[in-house]
Structures are given as structure tokens and as C-alpha cells.
Amino acid sequence: MCGIIGGVGERNMVPVLLEGLSRLEYRGYDSAGLAVAVGGQLTRIRRRGKVAALEDEALAIDLAGGTAIGHTRWATHGGPSEENAHPHTAADRVAVVHNGIIENHAELRAELEADGYRLVSDTDSETIPCLLHRELVAGAEPLEALRRVGRRLQGAFALAAVDAEHPGRILGARRGSPLLLGVGVGEHFLASDAAALVPVTQELVDLADGDFAELTGEGFTVTDLDGVPQDRPVRTSHIRTDQVERGPYRHFMQKEIFEQPTGVAETLEGRLDRTDWGFEDLAPNLSETWSGVRGVLILACGTSYHAALVGRYWLEAHAGVATTVEIASEFRYREPVLRPETVVIAISQSGETADTLAAAQDVRRRGAGPLIAICNVRESSLAQEADTTVYTEAGPEIGVASTKAFTTQLTVLALLCAAASREQRGTSWKDSDTWREELRRLPGRLQRILELEPAMRQRAAQLMNQEHALFLGRGPYYPIALEGALKLKEISYIHAEGYPAGELKHGPLALVDETMPVFVLAPNNQLLGKVLSNLEEVRARGGDIVVLTEPGQGPEEGAGLEVLELPDPGELLAPVVYTLPLQLLAYHTAVLKGTDVDQPRNLAKSVTVE
């Protein structure tokens, strides 16, 4: 959600931080700010709206300095406003930027106000610089002062702080929200996302939960809450600058839709090479983690939840493993019955999704079986929590509406299912060679599907003025219908719903008339006849129908009915292929409506707070 960046060194850090903030825009935000400490003076600028407005202000006042922190905020406590924007300050001396939520902020605010501090924002975050200032005034050294503050804070946080009276250093802390260090030559950086640091350094240090750090131009120190030094290794990031730039595409979402054939190929890279390929090719210790499994519980939110639903169909049919899928944000507050022989799979693109991470930690406490993570970000909180992690290798995804993260998650689930099916054969078991062939052909099939873009753009022109849309599917295509509806509502703001086609007569049919576009997924499988029968129910009521199917399988076109044929989607992995036309439909509808495609209103890329 919110984004943090900080830098300390000899050069002017303001343009570095502004560039970093622009690279964090994809996370979703409503305001941005900078604080610079120079010569014992603290200068702060904040603006509601885009980073470009902040940059204009920095240029207007010639803001410069070698010690600076910056932030993009997505409103939680207090609405979007300049007063609520970060950095927050205390006594014109201390500035802090914060990601997360401080749960005991009301208690702290009352205490600070009784102690003479005047808090002017509606945020929970403003308590932090006041607490830090109080510790510094009492004589604590900066890093010890921050540790003392950390003991008072309840909730999740990633922090960066500067003290004007201790120039040339930045403080950082992490608990439950991502934060990493960037290592340069004569300069060091803090950021909540590696993408912000790509232009200045590839050398990164991942802070662990409970770490407190102090950075200077010459080096950095990391301790735990008690001041015990912590050895955190430096790693080299594999994010390339071109991966976080749009290139020739109009939007990041469009770029990422078209990156999916390559992204899926990279997910598969090196995982199908051996003749006897299996669990050991997907992740370290995965074979041992899966050993003795008698059931699977999958936890996820949003788009990852839809991927999990497809995975359930695959695991039960092809591997014969009883599988349950839970929305993580709901699962956290249930009293589930968990068995030690049930493996838990947690899916999150970022590995920082607050509800998924908390649910995974909860099943640990309840004594469930081993935990497998599926995510895209190495060294993420979820990866550190899990017994083993299968990485999607999708590369950075900048658009808030997930595209390649979804298809690469599906690809990982297919790999997992294929490996499991060797040991526990389901009702529609396929041998390893069949899976290998289907998986190897998947990138090419996705590439051919992208040729449907003109047809989806044309259909988007007919959809853009509608207020509602309905997406129907059966079996593993029902979650694809859910995902198609989610994409449309996320970026075009058209109300859309996904339904199992067999449930149509149990309620949704009441919505169908000549103004209701209905998108029907009709693959050539054992349910095709039933789906086409459901379609006739819509047609009889005047619905505007679009059928996505395979060559020669759909009904005849006519008034109010259009057929889009998908070239060679395959059999086992066809749900992945059917996803792309719906992504293109949502994208072009949003473009025609003029919405902010990459940063849709009210949404954030990584939902790191509850």
C-alpha cells in the first residue's frame, strides 16, 4: 500500500527520492511528501495527489540535502489531505514516515497531549515522531530512542526517521510490514519495495521482523529490539530497470498482459527438464513438506483466491487430494478444524498481504500441517514464515489490477498438481509426460490468444456505456468468470459479477434483460452442453450475450449473440488461456472510459493492513 524511501550520502537525495516515489506510485496512494535534514534544520513538503505535484514544489523551493525520507500514502486513519500526508514531524526536529497501523494510537495520543505535544493530523502515524522526539530529548542516542519507541507501539509498522540534530543518518524499523536497505558506494538507502531502488543500487539487505537499523553514508547497523547486533546478508536484486518501465505500452497493465507468455515461460524455466521431474524441481524441501499429505487447505485473498479456486479443481480431479479454499480475511476469524496431515498453501503475489500472512501465522499456532507459500517476492514475510516457497518468477507487476501474477500463480498450481498426481492419482489423472507437454505449450497458446486484442477492443466499445455485466462459467471456469468480473469492476468501475452458470436460475436470471451484457465461458468439455443450455435461458430473456469458446463449438451467431473463438486453448490448462481475453476486455473498457488504469481509485497494489 503506502511506499517508503529514504537516502543518506553526500549527493543531493531529493531527485533520487522523487524518482523512487514515482516508482512506488503503482502501490496506490493519495498523497506524497518529503523531509530533508540539512545543517540542523528540517524542511518538509507534502502534497495531496500525484508525486508530480510534490516534484514541482521541490523544484520551486530548490529543496536539496544529503539526508532525506519520502512517502506515498494510502489513507487509513484520516482522509486524503495535506495535513494527514507523511512525513509527520515533532518540534520541527524529527520526521517519520510510516507504513502499517498503530493499534494503540488513541492511548498514545492522549498520553502525548497530556505531556504537551500538539498533534494536528487525524493519523495514527503522528504519534511516532512525538514519541521519538521525547526519547531524544531525554538523552537517548537515535537508534536506542527508536527501539524504545518500538516497545510502545502495538500493531504493524515499517518506519524511516530523521533527526535534524543528528544529520547524516537515517533510522529504520520493521515489524509486520516490509522494509529493506539499499547498499551504495558512500550512500545507503531505505525502501519498502526494491523497485524504488533499481536506478541507484542492486545490492539489497532484507530486514527481518523486529529489526532496527541506522544508516549513514559509510555503512549501516542492524539490531533487534534489545540492541543485539543482527547480521543481515547483502543480496543482489534481479529486477531490471526495463521491468519497472512502461516501454512502448500505454499502461503497465497492458504491458503486463502482453508479458504473460514470457512470464509463464520463466515460471516453468528449469522445472520440467528432468525426465522424472516432480516436487524437488519446484522448491527446496517441497517433497518432504508434501510427504504424508491427506488434504490441502489454501488461503488467499482477491485475485489469488480465484487462482486457488482453480487449483482446487485441479488438485481434486488430477491428484485426488481433498482441497479446501478459504478467503484469508474470513478464515482468520473462524474456529476451523485443522488436522496435522493437512498441508496449508498460502498464496500472495507480494508475500505481504496482511490477511493472508496473519491467517498463515494463525494456522501455525493452531498446529496445522506444513505451510507452503506461493508468491512472487523473495525474502517476503510469507516466504520467511513458510516451510518452503514456490516462487512464481513473474517479475515486478506494477499495475494494481493483477494480470501476470494470476496466470503465473495458476502455472505454479498446475506444476504442484502435476507433481502431486504422480503419488495420489485422482479421477481424471494424467501422467507426467502429458502435464509436461501441456505446460510447455502454454506460453505459445497464451501468445496466440493475445491476437484477440482487436476483437476485445471492439467489444469493449460496446460495453463501456453499460452499468452492469455478468460473467458465467462452470467447473474451473467459474473462478475465471469471477476473475473476469473482478478485473472489469477494478479498473472500469462497471459493476460486474461472476456466477456459476448452473446457478443462473437460482437468482441472477432476474437481472437479465436487453441492457445486461453476459459473458459466457464455454470450453469444449463435458459441461459444454449444460453451459449452452444456460446460455439459452439468457437468450430467451433478451440478454446481450458474448460466448467465449473453441472453434466450431459455439452456437450460431445472431441478434444479441456474439461468438469469440479461442485458438487451441488445450485441455488441462485451458482455464489459464481463457483468462487473457477477459483481461483485454477489462483493460480496453477502462481505457475507453478514461479511468486511471494502473492506479484505480481507492485500491492499492499490496494490501498490507487489515
Side-chain angles (χ1 to χ4, degrees), residues 7-13 64-67 168 185-189 216-218:
V8 57
E10 293 186 359
R11 65 166 154 167
N12 178 16
M13 288 292 169
T67 305
V185 179
E187 58 187 17
H188 288 83
F189 305 90
T216 67
E218 292 70 40

Side-chain angles (χ1 to χ4, degrees), residues 171-192:
L171 304 175
R174 174 185 179 177
R175 182 196 297 160
S177 194
L179 192 68
L180 51 83
L181 311 183
V183 179
V185 179
E187 58 187 17
H188 288 83
F189 305 90
L190 271 173
S192 54

Side-chain angles (χ1 to χ4, degrees), residues 280-587:
E280 56 270 36
D281 298 284
L282 307 187
N285 306 316
L286 183 56
S287 183
E288 297 89 328
T289 304
W290 194 272
S291 178
V293 166
R294 298 182 63 184
V296 174
L297 167 65
I298 309 181
L299 303 171
C301 297
T303 285
S304 297
Y305 171 70
H306 297 157
L309 290 173
V310 177
R312 177 176 65 187
Y313 282 100
W314 286 343
L315 283 165
E316 293 193 335
H318 301 294
V321 181
T323 303
T324 302
V325 178
E326 296 272 2
I327 297 173
S329 57
E330 290 295 318
F331 179 83
R332 290 176 60 185
Y333 301 104
R334 286 181 47 214
E335 295 295 331
V337 177
L338 299 173
R339 294 183 171 86
E341 65 272 17
T342 297
V343 69
V344 180
I345 301 175
I347 308 178
S348 165
Q349 189 279 142
S350 65
E352 305 293 346
T353 307
D355 286 311
T356 304
L357 183 58
Q361 293 166 338
D362 187 54
V363 296
R364 286 285 209 203
R365 288 190 294 270
R366 293 172 180 269
L371 175 64
I372 298 170
I374 296 176
C375 76
N376 189 37
V377 180
R378 296 184 183 277
E379 308 300 332
S380 65
S381 298
L382 183 60
Q384 293 178 42
E385 184 73 29
D387 293 295
T388 189
T389 301
V390 188
Y391 291 102
T392 57
E393 311 291 359
E397 185 178 69
I398 306 301
V400 166
S402 182
T403 52
K404 66 177 181 177
F406 180 66
T407 50
T408 54
Q409 286 171 354
L410 288 174
T411 304
V412 163
L413 286 165
L415 284 164
L416 194 63
C417 176
S421 70
R422 289 200 314 173
E423 302 178 16
Q424 298 163 297
R425 301 182 180 189
T427 55
S428 58
W429 176 79
K430 303 289 183 182
D431 63 37
S432 296
D433 288 339
T434 300
W435 278 105
R436 189 206 305 267
E437 181 61 22
E438 285 283 297
L439 286 161
R440 282 181 168 169
R441 295 181 67 182
L442 183 57
R445 284 171 167 153
L446 295 177
Q447 189 65 54
R448 286 190 291 276
I449 290 296
L450 292 172
E451 297 171 7
L452 291 176
E453 185 180 32
M456 302 318 295
R457 186 188 298 117
Q458 182 177 358
R459 178 28 90 164
Q462 301 168 351
L463 178 61
M464 63 176 289
N465 293 318
Q466 302 296 331
E467 296 182 356
H468 310 279
L470 194 60
F471 291 76
L472 303 177
R474 297 197 75 147
Y477 299 88
Y478 162 51
I480 304 303
L482 289 172
E483 178 63 12
L486 178 61
K487 285 286 122 2
L488 186 65
K489 71 178 78 169
E490 281 181 318
I491 61 172
S492 75
Y493 316 145
I494 293 173
H495 173 246
E497 296 295 336
Y499 264 92
E503 286 292 292
L504 190 63
K505 62 177 67 68
H506 295 287
L509 197 59
L511 300 173
V512 174
D513 60 18
E514 64 278 1
T515 67
M516 173 68 82
V518 181
F519 296 88
V520 183
L521 307 183
N524 184 22
N525 60 21
Q526 72 275 17
L527 294 175
L528 178 61
K530 293 184 180 298
V531 172
L532 294 179
S533 175
N534 299 141
L535 183 153
E536 290 301 323
E537 295 171 350
V538 176
R539 196 173 190 181
R541 289 152 180 86
D544 177 22
I545 305 168
V546 178
V547 181
L548 281 72
T549 188
E550 293 151 43
Q553 300 302 317
E556 291 187 10
E557 290 192 321
L561 191 149
E562 178 182 356
V563 176
L564 294 175
E565 295 184 343
L566 279 61
D568 186 27
E571 178 188 356
L572 285 175
L573 305 176
V576 190
V577 178
Y578 271 77
T579 300
L580 270 63
L582 303 185
Q583 294 174 348
L584 289 167
L585 175 71
Y587 170 74

Side-chain angles (χ1 to χ4, degrees), residues 54-391:
L54 186 72
E55 185 172 8
D56 290 342
E57 176 67 9
L59 291 172
I61 66 172
D62 196 24
L63 184 65
T67 305
I69 56 176
H71 192 262
T72 53
R73 176 180 187 256
W74 190 83
T76 52
H77 291 77
S81 68
E82 187 169 315
E83 291 75 17
N84 290 332
H86 297 222
H88 291 290
T89 62
D92 293 325
R93 172 181 170 178
V94 175
V96 171
V97 293
H98 165 227
N99 290 355
I101 289 180
I102 305 304
E103 295 171 355
N104 60 331
H105 70 97
E107 169 193 333
L108 294 172
R109 177 182 287 264
E111 174 188 318
L112 289 162
E113 288 175 340
D115 209 16
Y117 285 91
R118 181 172 174 266
L119 284 73
V120 297
S121 78
D122 301 318
T123 71
D124 57 330
S125 305
E126 193 182 2
T127 58
I128 303 171
C130 297
L131 290 168
L132 184 57
H133 176 264
R134 189 168 67 178
E135 296 295 341
L136 290 165
V137 168
E141 287 297 308
L143 188 54
E144 173 57 24
L146 187 61
R147 286 195 294 261
R148 292 181 185 179
V149 172
R151 291 187 179 96
R152 298 297 314 280
L153 302 178
Q154 297 174 12
F157 56 77
L159 306 174
V162 293
D163 174 16
E165 295 191 13
H166 290 85
R169 72 182 74 188
I170 293 176
L171 304 175
R174 174 185 179 177
R175 182 196 297 160
S177 194
L179 192 68
L180 51 83
L181 311 183
V183 179
V185 179
E187 58 187 17
H188 288 83
F189 305 90
L190 271 173
S192 54
D193 190 318
L197 299 180
V198 167
V200 290
T201 183
Q202 298 286 109
E203 302 302 301
L204 306 177
V205 175
D206 297 293
L207 295 181
D209 247 24
D211 279 353
F212 291 77
E214 182 176 85
L215 291 70
T216 67
E218 292 70 40
F220 62 90
T221 300
V222 180
T223 76
D224 65 11
L225 184 62
D226 297 321
V228 178
Q230 303 296 305
D231 183 19
R232 301 293 178 228
V234 178
R235 66 175 174 90
T236 300
S237 170
H238 297 293
I239 298 176
R240 304 186 310 271
T241 302
D242 66 293
Q243 290 179 304
V244 290
E245 294 176 346
R246 280 200 311 269
Y249 295 95
R250 184 171 178 180
H251 298 95
F252 278 108
M253 183 178 179
Q254 185 185 32
K255 177 192 179 198
E256 287 151 9
I257 289 172
F258 277 82
E259 283 178 339
Q260 287 174 110
T262 301
V264 167
E266 291 178 355
T267 303
L268 298 172
E269 181 69 30
R271 287 171 163 166
L272 299 173
D273 294 346
R274 295 188 310 110
T275 302
D276 195 30
W277 67 279
F279 286 122
E280 56 270 36
D281 298 284
L282 307 187
N285 306 316
L286 183 56
S287 183
E288 297 89 328
T289 304
W290 194 272
S291 178
V293 166
R294 298 182 63 184
V296 174
L297 167 65
I298 309 181
L299 303 171
C301 297
T303 285
S304 297
Y305 171 70
H306 297 157
L309 290 173
V310 177
R312 177 176 65 187
Y313 282 100
W314 286 343
L315 283 165
E316 293 193 335
H318 301 294
V321 181
T323 303
T324 302
V325 178
E326 296 272 2
I327 297 173
S329 57
E330 290 295 318
F331 179 83
R332 290 176 60 185
Y333 301 104
R334 286 181 47 214
E335 295 295 331
V337 177
L338 299 173
R339 294 183 171 86
E341 65 272 17
T342 297
V343 69
V344 180
I345 301 175
I347 308 178
S348 165
Q349 189 279 142
S350 65
E352 305 293 346
T353 307
D355 286 311
T356 304
L357 183 58
Q361 293 166 338
D362 187 54
V363 296
R364 286 285 209 203
R365 288 190 294 270
R366 293 172 180 269
L371 175 64
I372 298 170
I374 296 176
C375 76
N376 189 37
V377 180
R378 296 184 183 277
E379 308 300 332
S380 65
S381 298
L382 183 60
Q384 293 178 42
E385 184 73 29
D387 293 295
T388 189
T389 301
V390 188
Y391 291 102

